[in-house]
Structures are given as structure tokens and as C-alpha cells.
Amino acid sequence: MLLLGCIKEVSDYELVVSLPNGLSGFVPVTQISDAYSKLLSKQVAQGELLEDVDSLVDMYSPGTLVRCIVTTIEKSADGRRSIKLSIDPKKVNKCLNASALASGMLLSGFVSSVEDHGYLIDIGVSGTNAFLPRQKAQNYIKTVKRGSDLKIGQNLNCVIVEVKNEGRVVLLSIDRSEVASSLATERQNWSLSNLLPGLVVKARVQKVAPLGIKLSFLSFFTGIVDFMHMDPEKSTSYSPDQVVKACIISINPTSKVVRLTLRQAFVHPGGSPNQVSNDRIGAVVEDSTVKAFYKQFGAVFELDDGTLAFARLKHLSKTRKSFKPGAFKAGCKHKCRIIDYSLMDEMCIVSLKYQIIEARILRYQDINTGDVVQGKVFAVKPIGMQVKVTDAIKGLVPSMHLADVILKQPEKKYNIGDQVRCRVLECNPAGKKLILTLKKSLVQSKLPVLSNYEDAKPGLITHGFVVCAREFGCIVKFYNDVKGLVPKNELSSEPISCPDKVFHEGQVVKVMVLKCEPQQERLLLSFRLSSKPALEDKKECTPKKKQEVKYQIGEMVDVKVLKKKDNGLEVSVLEDEGNVIASIPTVHLSDFVATCKLLWHCLQEGDVLPRVMCLSDNGERIILSRKSAVISAVQEEQVVRSFSEIQPGMLLTGYVRKVMPFGVFVEFPFGVTGLAPKVSMSDKFVTDTKDHFVVGQTVIAKVMSIDEEKQRVLLNLKVSECSSGDSAAESFALLNQYFKEMKEIRNLLRRRGESSMTQGLCELVPGKELQLVVRDVKEDGSALFSGSCVTGLTITATRYHLGDKKVIPGEKTKALVLHVDALASKVYVSLREELLKR
């Protein structure tokens, strides 16, 4: 079967390709082209990297359309099917022969040789030599390759410019304009046996049905466009005999069914489908609207941002028995989670299953090194044990890590299907590599996780495991392949003549960092945690304090509210089974001061708050934060971990620690603080600092100067100075975050079933139009209103927002909601015509 696919992921050994209807396939590195396979074989034979061999990562990028042929469909042990593909032109174009080649044909080819005047291209047609003149490649090299030359094994969309000697020689072009305007025509003599995916044709609509459209093209061909591949902007306007531009996306030679797409991204060869931000994958959408339901396939939804999404039938309910078709009528709303994005369908793939919506881990990107995760034993092999963390995520527990001691017969301890609690040693989302440990001493360790050399500060005490014991000492490994040396004299306070007799491979040990050179990745360690008698008391105190430190700054945890206090919330960390108590100050419930107070008021004991960040942990008190701007700054490494890292001109996200008459003190994650003097606080003249900032307020500060001797930092908080460039986008993002948090609060109140007045507040959102009655007009020109939908609330419009209207008590009028102060039960509205018309 021939398919048009779009490269989704690229690794050193395979391409992951998005296929139509939400499917995915895999192209092994050996299925690119003959020329590339020969180079790889030569490289393997010589045992060294060759200069003229580029990796798949260097030649391919996500979003590139490729023609594929299905080679095999493999079924794994858990019943999942894996589609193996090839993009080798000898297989994709195998039905083409030299005599069938004609000018204007669009073919896929691969660079097989780089010559002085051009390139030899492998188009997979026996007896044909294809040549791409250098001048016909210049435009492509300049715009797409940014000046770098074409590489052997690179995939190209080629248009046949000239056919010579009955097809034995063809000249090609990859000029972008020529490729984009190429069209398959009757004169090119296409037949069902050699028809190719990716060809763009002019077609005529024969029949319009609920599940799709039937087309005729190239005189005597017919094909199908299913509901997922109709142009969303024209899906309701197709009619019989209408002429459309379509792209072939699959040809099944057995059933002789040809499928096409009418989506705009595909009807211009050489283009790329629309992509979605990686941040969107995993997002939970509270209210998605059913656009259409197909009883044999699934349902199409409209998400909160207006984009379309598709849910397969099995993802519409927990089980087939619990599935209710009536719940998926057009207009019905459902909560769902985005689990993938189909490049070939230009649609998000969503699930309505409760266990997927609530899942903490959905993708490899959701897993951090050092995380403790639950899994199910999937297979036990000589190299170790495979553990399934989710249906889509599998990890390997190396044989050394199956227990604190080396197991000779692991199959006696573990059975297929056993639930296990592991810790993540290494996670590489790009390579889909997940290495786990089942060593109880590591899984239950309360010490800091050492996952990079930069964190290896002298005096740090942590757990690691021995990977080598020799006469010179021991090599100890940590997380993310960080490793260090314990010299022989640091193995013990007593001399050890044969370290290999005392320490064994895989042994979990507690070590202290003596010295680290991050750039050279050199780490010197010691097993002697208190080596100097004179400092015994101090040394003993330090390890105890370190042992109490469980959470690193920036670590995300889920918590449950235990108690509400005047200054915040007392919570328990769910990951630690509620044994760790922490606190969230009221000012750290949100980036927005007003929302902080409102959230504190709405939350109750027993409520669960997901993804809260550890702000500080001194071993005695853990402080957490829900400030999304601060969390983003830490996760994106837009922070400084010490005074030495600060540089003038830096933009840092922090929060107001203290407001003084002479300025504002700002604290940043990891404890660094700075002062914004009164003259640098605002673009406006500042009379009283308290009128501009409050304690806990989230701010973006620019570093003006540093005094290394006195360890002081001077900051600027002026909005005009603290923008990264696109101030409009930054403002919109903040506004979007505010509305998102307000929506969460409204949903929280709805679920509580609060009083009718509270329920009414939930329905009042900025921009909503209300029918009100004027109750009173005050001396300052403002007016008070009442209405059936706002019973018990104070509704106010300032003099400015009355506009030109002269209102009198008892008069009925329309008004637009501007702001809702839920705590004060006040609603601010506007009667201005320019707002009401919008």
C-alpha cells in the first residue's frame, strides 16, 4: 500500500512518520535509499565515522512530506500493531518504467551522488538515469537548505523537465515554484498500477455524503475524500460537479481504492502541514464541543481555541458498555485531553477517558530524571526488565537495577503484570529512552538527586551506585549518566587494600562531593562523610540537615489542602503519601494579587492542587508556589542559581519580598534578591511605593548593576525596560493566564454547588451582555443597577462607562460586564456603545 506521510520525529536510526487517519509508521535507517544504505555498510565495515555520511537528523526535519510504502505490519506482545515503512524509491516507484516517464511528472527521488555540474538522483526506475542540474537546485539550496549542499540519501520532490532516449535519461528540477505548480494530467498517462501518493490533480465532485466525498479525476479514476480530509472552511459547501484541487494520500492496490485530501496544505506540492505547539499536547480542555459523530469511527470536536480535534471510538468512553451515543450529539460539551497531533490530518487527537485526562504522565516529556513512577512488568529479558509506565511509554530496568543486590533469577521475583515502583535514572524524550531503577535504597532515598555536574557542589551528600571497583578506588554513578571517582584514600577512615573485595557492582552508596569541574565532567567524591575529627560536630550536623532535604527547587508536586491559615495553606505532598507537610503562602497561589485572595477563599480542606513547584526546602520548612510565571522561568532555565551567575541586562522573573519607602526588594527562585530603587520602579512618577507594588506580586525585573563586593543587585521594574521585545504578545499571554485561572475558579465553585448568588457570579464573565434596571445615580456620576440575573450583587458603572447616556432610576438598559470582584460581590459594567457593539 502506498501512502503520503509527514515526518513527525527523527532519530539516528529511524523516522517516525504521521500517516492519514491518525496512524503512525516507522522508517528504519536501512529503508531510505540504496546509496545511503551502501554508505552505512561501508561505515560499519571500516568501524569509524565517514565524513560524507550525514545522520538522519541532519537530513530530515519534522513537517517534511514523504511518499511511503508499507513493508510489514508487526504485532507486539501487548497486541499493538507497528507499521513498518520504506521511502526507498525502488520500492515506492517500482511500478513505474522508463517508457511511462513524461515531462511534468512529480516524483520522489534521493541524491545518490554529488557531481561537479549537478546531482545523480535515484528515482527508483530501472534503466533510467536521472540528473539534477545544479542551476535547477540553486533556489532550493538557498531557501530550504540555507546554502548548504545536498547530501547523499536526502529526499527530494522532483519535477521531470525533459525525457531523453525513450526514458533512459531524464532531467529534473527541484525549483520550489516548479514543484508547487506541478499538476498530474491525462497527458502524463497515469494508470492505477503506477499512480503515486502526493500527486495533485484537478477533480470533479461526484457525490457528497455525511462521511465524505466521491471524486473523479484524470478522466477515468475515482477516489474518496473522508470527513477528516475535507477543507474545514468549505466542508458544508461542496456540491456535485464542482471542480476542486485534490492531493492523493493513499493507494490500495488490492482493493483499488484511492483516497485524497482537499486540505490546502497538501494541494500545493512542496508545502508542509500545519503543526501544533508541543505545549498543547497533554493539555486538558474543559469544554470541547461535538461538531459531528460517526458511529463507526469516532467524533470530531471543536476545542476552546477553535481548532478541530478527533477522538477515536475507543477514546469516547471507558468501556464499550458504558458508551452512550446520545451524549455525542452536535453541540454537546465534554472534557477531554489532547494526547497527540496528526500532521497528516492537521488535527489534534483527543481522549475522553477519565484515566487519561487525570493521568500525571502522558508523554516522555512529562517524566523528569529522579521522578518516582508506577509501572507494570511487561517482559523479563537477559539485559533487564521492561516496564510499562503507560500504554505509550515503556522503560528498561537494567539487570543491575532489579534489586539492591544482583538477582541471578529475576523471573522468580517478578511476574508479567506485577505492579512496581521505580525511580527514573535517565529519560530522553527525543530518543524515547527511559532507564529505571528498582533499587529500594534509591527509590526511597530522601537525599537530593544528582542529575548534572553543575549541581555537584562541594559538601553535597547524595546516593549513587558503584559501577566499578578497582585498586585505585571506586567509580560511582548517579542520574543522567553523571559519574565520579572515589579515590582509594577516601573509601574509608580505615585503609582498604583491595576495594574490589569490599565494594561490588551495583552497590548503593552514600557519598559526599569533594570537588567538581562541570566543563571537564570531572567529579571527586568521598565515602568519608565526616573525615576530620576537629570538625566532627559540624560534619555530623550537615549530613543530617541534607538528609531532611527531599525536594529540589523547581520540582513539581501534587498536593492536598490540609488546613487553611491566615497567611496561606498547609498542604501534604501526595507523591510522598501525605507524609511530607508543606505550605503555600496566599501570595503564591497565583501571579495575580486579586486571584490569590479569591483562590484562598474558594479552596477547602481536601482539595487537590496539581503541579505546584517547590520554591524552597531548608530541611525544616517546604515552601511551594503556584505562580505560573515563576514556574515557567524555572522550567525554561531563565533563572540564576547564585549571585555569580547574575549579569547586567538580564530579565528575571521574581516576586516582591518587601515594599519600603525608598524602593522594592525583589526575590527570585533559588534565593537571590535585589533592590529596585524608587526611581526605577515605574514609568510614572512614584509618590508612595505602596501605591504601585504589594508583597508577593509577581514582577519581571531587569538587572541594572551588580556590586560583587557587597553582593548587591540593583533592578529596574519599569515596564518599558522589562519587555523581551514583543510586549503585545507578553501582555496577551498574561491576560490569557488570568482568564484561565478565573475559569478554574468558576468551575471549582460550580462543582461545590454554592449559593445561588455564588452560582450567579460564576456565570458573569467579562464581555457578557446583561439586561439591567437603573437603581440609583450617585453624586459622582456613577450608577447602581439591579437585575434578575444579578440578585444580591452590587452592580456599578462609573461616570466614564455610562458614556453619553443620561440614565434615570427605573430605566431598563443593556450593559457589558467589565470586571467581577467575587470576594466583594461587586460587578463593574459599561454602557458605552462602542463596547456594546463589539
Side-chain angles (χ1 to χ4, degrees), residues 718-737:
K718 292 181 179 179
V719 174
S720 60
E721 296 285 339
C722 297
S723 171
S724 61
D726 193 346
S727 56
E730 291 169 359
S731 301
F732 181 78
L734 283 170
L735 197 59
N736 188 48
Q737 179 63 29

Side-chain angles (χ1 to χ4, degrees), residues 111 117-121 130-137 150 156 158 170-175:
V111 179
H117 301 290
Y119 310 86
L120 293 180
I121 305 296
F131 184 73
L132 171 63
R134 195 168 284 275
Q135 69 267 25
K136 287 291 186 179
L150 302 180
L156 299 169
C158 311
V170 295
L171 296 181
L172 306 172
S173 172
I174 57 170
D175 185 276

Side-chain angles (χ1 to χ4, degrees), residues 24-134:
S24 290
F26 305 88
V27 181
V29 69
T30 55
Q31 292 294 329
I32 303 298
S33 70
D34 275 357
Y36 191 68
S37 295
K38 286 176 183 176
L39 281 178
L40 293 177
S41 299
K42 183 180 177 183
Q43 184 169 271
V44 171
Q46 293 186 6
E48 60 181 8
L49 295 174
L50 301 178
E51 288 186 8
D52 53 349
V53 179
D54 288 84
S55 68
L56 294 183
V57 177
D58 293 328
M59 293 192 295
Y60 294 91
S61 58
T64 304
L65 291 173
V66 289
R67 289 168 169 167
C68 322
I69 186 169
V70 178
T71 54
T72 57
I73 298 177
E74 299 173 359
K75 197 171 183 180
S76 59
D78 61 350
R80 288 174 169 265
R81 289 178 176 170
S82 175
I83 303 172
K84 299 296 181 184
L85 305 167
S86 174
I87 57 174
D88 189 333
K90 283 187 169 54
K91 294 180 179 177
V92 174
N93 299 335
K94 66 180 179 180
C95 292
L96 278 176
N97 54 53
S99 61
L101 299 178
S103 296
M105 278 187 169
L106 180 68
L107 303 176
S108 56
F110 288 78
V111 179
S112 61
S113 178
V114 180
E115 307 295 334
D116 291 338
H117 301 290
Y119 310 86
L120 293 180
I121 305 296
D122 179 7
I123 60 172
V125 179
S126 180
T128 296
N129 294 312
F131 184 73
L132 171 63
R134 195 168 284 275

